[in-house]
Amino acid sequence: MTVIDCQDLRKKYKRMAALDGITFQLKDQKITGLIGRNGAGKTTLLKILAGFIRKGSGDVLVFSSNPFNNLRVSGNSILVDDQMSFPDSLTLADILGMAPDFYKRWDTELANNLFKYFKLNPKQLHSRLSKGNKATFNMIFGLATRCELTMFDEPTNGMDEAVRSDFYRALLKDYIAHPRSIMISSHHLAEMEHLLEDILLIHKGKVVFHQSLEEVKEYAVALQGTTDLVEKLAAGKEILHTKQLDSQRNYVVIKKEEMPVIDGVTTQPVSVSDVCMYVTSDGKGGIDDVFK
Amino acid sequence: MMFLSNSTLGEVVWTQLKFKMNAYLGAVVSLIFVQIIGLIVSMNGNSSTGSGVDNTSFTIITISSDVVFAFVGIWAVFVGKLFTTKAYRYDDFSFVATRLSSNLANFSVLCLMSIFAGVTTFLSNYILRVVLLLVSDVDYVKSVSIFEDPIGTIVNLSIMIILILTISAGGYLWGMLVQIHKAFTYLLILLIITLLVTKTGQTILQYVFIENESIVFLIVKLIALSLVFFLLAILCSNRLEVRR
């Protein structure tokens, strides 16, 4: 069954187009990374999928219905972000105590164990939590709902290194025990790469690619060597990124294809996060060009 | 294999109602606070007439809980409005909710709070009598009690409850309109002034509150008015986005 089906989805804020024709489908129970630069439209897309905001035009179906004002979507999906809010009259323990009434598959044991592990204070109010602890609590809440579609928008913002790696581990373990569709948007692609099965890369409100992690790893190749040789080899190819290493040597990233082996030019794999970065950069150059 | 849990609207509204009764306890606390202030203001009496025969003089002080009711009325407007603020609406969407279920749950909470407010405001009259006897040098308190006129008491109580509900529904609608556009903050004040000043406005007020053949008629009108307010609020909020 298709979990998410977006066809030419658009959304405008005032005059600016946040989503500019998003088309993709999410079919199986997978962990998908929603990757994109700042302002690419990640948050807008997730909020439309969660039914928080209205779509502009196009079609969006979550569990075969429009998520806006749909009880079935609300009951089977959750969006964890830093804007989650809970009443100030309820303590964290109260919130966890009330959640099972709403979410039929709420995992009380998991929630309590994680709560204890991360040493949160049950008598604390949600709004008084520090940034990192708030993110941790939201993450626990999101995992424990066991929603068929669980979405995290920048879940690790504010978490320290140790908590971040614990979070990835908890997410993976819980996903293996209870497979479901999980979507994570994050800036820390490199450190959560091992979790992801699919990558949905969006840029300026459009889908760049929606591929498995393995395919993204094979997407590009880097050529390194003396400038004239590298340039000759890369001529006519789709160049994603170039960098002058020193006066003689050049580093060029091109879309992967069959390539003759030439002495003096080494080919190197390009990491997934670099691929995503190069593909979504507007110019061919980098930050270095600013200082030329 | 995907397993989707299906909740009916009724279940979700019921769950939200339970949640809100826990979460919105602050509104009840503020009600009690407002009533206490109202009671303190009422202690002086609304009017007094003095007279004397020979060397005996007496003063009749009329006491009513009207002031308490006026305070509770103001409370009702702002509680209705409070429920429409961003913080309250966003809280709902951290759990399972649609705009319809949130509205229905809010409506139920306002109904329950109106009943509580109506009953306590009605009873505040009794507190007033007791305190008056204890504190001031009043010698005799005469008033109608529940036992002397049970039907009249119940009718009074119902009107009080329904009037509070209508006022809070008005506040709720006002709040929703303000959420759509800030200009409605002032438009409401303008509307109230227009109602009081213009002839058409007065005719409308007269029709609702004064020209009633029986008290039951007034109750029906007020309930209808509350429902209209709520329906309009639901229509307004059905397109409101959250956490944007």
Side-chain angles (χ1 to χ4, degrees):
Chain A
M1 191 187 166
T2 313
V3 181
I4 299 173
D5 187 0
C6 287
Q7 297 293 332
D8 197 31
L9 179 63
R10 284 162 203 273
K11 173 81 181 174
K12 263 187 194 151
Y13 289 122
K14 297 273 155 69
R15 253 169 270 121
M16 206 215 26
L19 297 183
D20 197 13
I22 295 268
T23 302
F24 77 98
Q25 284 190 324
L26 213 71
K27 282 214 168 96
D28 312 308
Q29 297 175 322
K30 277 184 181 169
I31 304 186
T32 306
L34 179 60
I35 311 298
R37 296 287 181 100
N38 290 333
K42 303 186 293 287
T43 301
T44 307
L45 176 61
L46 290 176
K47 283 183 178 175
I48 289 178
L49 293 176
F52 290 166
I53 60 178
R54 273 174 287 139
K55 65 174 186 186
S57 63
D59 275 321
V60 54
L61 296 174
V62 178
F63 308 124
S64 318
S65 4
N66 183 353
F68 195 75
N69 271 343
N70 188 293
L71 209 55
R72 200 159 61 100
V73 174
S74 182
N76 291 290
S77 69
I78 184 160
L79 171 57
V80 174
D81 62 8
D82 55 4
Q83 284 182 54
M84 268 185 123
S85 70
F86 296 97
D88 255 350
S89 45
L90 298 180
T91 62
L92 297 184
D94 291 338
I95 295 167
L96 292 184
M98 239 159 234
D101 288 348
F102 284 99
Y103 295 100
K104 294 193 169 159
R105 289 197 287 163
W106 179 267
D107 190 338
T108 309
E109 205 188 325
L110 176 76
N112 290 344
N113 290 345
L114 285 174
F115 197 85
K116 262 182 235 146
Y117 175 80
F118 287 107
K119 296 191 180 63
L120 294 170
N121 176 4
K123 291 200 177 119
Q124 180 83 272
L125 296 179
H126 189 264
S127 60
R128 303 262 168 83
L129 288 172
S130 72
K131 203 177 171 200
N133 280 340
K134 198 180 272 182
T136 309
F137 178 81
N138 293 351
M139 172 270 282
I140 295 173
F141 190 90
L143 278 182
T145 59
R146 285 272 165 77
C147 280
E148 195 56 51
L149 175 60
T150 306
M151 294 175 283
F152 294 96
D153 188 13
E154 309 283 356
T156 53
N157 266 5
M159 288 181 183
D160 64 33
E161 189 101 39
V163 175
R164 280 217 298 275
S165 62
D166 280 346
F167 163 65
Y168 297 134
R169 194 99 193 112
L171 180 73
L172 191 61
K173 289 214 160 200
D174 198 52
Y175 167 74
I176 290 166
H178 304 275
R180 51 202 195 261
S181 302
I182 296 178
M183 224 173 170
I184 314 176
S185 89
S186 175
H187 288 303
H188 306 279
L189 180 54
E191 63 178 43
M192 60 167 217
E193 202 184 299
H194 63 284
L195 290 176
L196 305 176
E197 287 162 274
D198 275 6
I199 293 215
L200 177 63
L201 180 68
I202 63 174
H203 186 53
K204 290 185 175 169
K206 288 190 172 75
V207 175
V208 180
F209 57 65
H210 183 199
Q211 288 175 335
S212 72
L213 191 75
E214 304 312 315
E215 287 171 317
V216 180
K217 276 181 181 161
E218 298 292 312
Y219 188 84
V221 67
L223 308 173
Q224 186 175 330
T226 48
T227 309
D228 51 339
L229 280 176
V230 168
E231 270 174 4
K232 212 166 88 188
L233 202 57
K237 310 253 167 27
E238 196 177 326
I239 298 171
L240 302 172
H241 179 74
T242 54
K243 193 165 73 176
Q244 194 78 39
L245 293 174
D246 50 43
S247 57
Q248 268 112 50
R249 290 182 312 133
N250 219 348
Y251 176 88
V252 176
V253 177
I254 59 167
K255 208 166 167 180
K256 189 159 188 175
E257 53 187 271
E258 282 302 313
M259 200 88 61
V261 183
I262 296 178
D263 270 351
V265 177
T266 55
T267 57
Q268 298 163 351
V270 184
S271 77
V272 173
S273 81
D274 281 347
V275 168
C276 290
M277 196 164 72
Y278 297 150
V279 168
T280 55
S281 71
D282 290 324
K284 293 283 175 278
I287 188 75
D288 287 349
D289 296 341
V290 177
F291 297 95
K292 260 179 188 169
Chain B
M1 191 44 212
M2 203 158 61
F3 170 79
L4 295 182
S5 53
N6 283 307
S7 305
T8 61
L9 181 65
E11 284 169 358
V12 172
V13 172
W14 174 241
T15 315
Q16 281 188 299
L17 177 63
K18 281 193 287 180
F19 160 74
K20 281 165 189 277
M21 289 313 282
N22 270 299
Y24 299 175
L25 216 63
V28 178
V29 174
S30 69
L31 169 72
I32 295 167
F33 183 70
V34 159
Q35 284 175 329
I36 290 171
I37 295 177
L39 279 174
I40 292 169
V41 176
S42 302
M43 293 295 267
N44 297 321
N46 298 108
S47 64
S48 61
T49 44
S51 183
V53 181
D54 294 336
N55 51 358
T56 321
S57 74
F58 61 89
T59 313
I60 300 169
I61 308 172
T62 316
I63 301 266
S64 79
S65 49
D66 287 356
V67 177
V68 181
F69 182 78
F71 274 64
V72 171
I74 295 169
W75 168 86
V77 173
F78 284 96
V79 162
K81 191 170 181 289
L82 180 74
F83 286 1
T84 64
T85 52
K86 260 189 193 157
Y88 279 73
R89 283 187 300 121
Y90 285 19
D91 288 348
D92 287 359
F93 282 85
S94 292
F95 297 100
V96 179
T98 62
R99 283 143 198 88
L100 180 62
S101 77
S102 280
N103 276 309
L104 292 178
N106 283 338
F107 183 41
S108 314
V109 172
L110 285 180
C111 283
L112 290 176
M113 283 196 178
S114 300
I115 292 172
F116 181 78
V119 171
T120 48
T121 306
F122 178 79
L123 293 177
S124 70
N125 198 271
Y126 290 83
I127 296 181
L128 209 57
R129 291 180 206 174
V130 173
V131 171
L132 221 59
L133 270 178
L134 292 174
V135 177
S136 63
D137 52 357
V138 173
D139 300 310
Y140 177 68
V141 177
K142 168 66 192 149
S143 62
V144 182
S145 79
I146 298 175
F147 302 107
E148 282 168 41
D149 183 11
I151 294 172
T153 309
I154 289 169
V155 168
N156 277 339
L157 184 58
S158 321
I159 289 184
M160 189 122 42
I161 290 170
I162 289 159
L163 201 54
I164 293 171
L165 179 66
T166 312
I167 294 170
S168 65
Y172 191 73
L173 175 61
W174 177 36
M176 276 305 174
L177 289 170
V178 171
Q179 291 300 319
I180 290 172
H181 203 284
K182 291 276 177 291
F184 282 106
T185 317
Y186 311 102
L187 278 175
L188 179 92
I189 298 163
L190 210 69
L191 184 74
I192 289 175
I193 294 171
T194 325
L195 269 182
L196 291 174
V197 174
T198 61
K199 195 138 196 178
T200 352
Q202 281 168 349
T203 323
I204 294 171
L205 289 178
Q206 217 163 27
Y207 172 73
V208 176
F209 293 105
I210 298 164
E211 289 166 9
N212 290 300
E213 282 156 31
S214 76
I215 213 87
V216 181
F217 219 62
L218 176 68
I219 292 179
V220 171
K221 272 184 196 167
L222 287 177
I223 290 178
L225 198 61
S226 319
L227 286 178
V228 168
F229 283 161
F230 270 112
L231 281 177
L232 285 175
I234 290 175
L235 287 178
C236 290
S237 70
N238 216 28
R239 288 171 63 80
L240 274 183
E241 298 181 327
V242 293
R243 279 205 234 162
R244 52 175 307 168

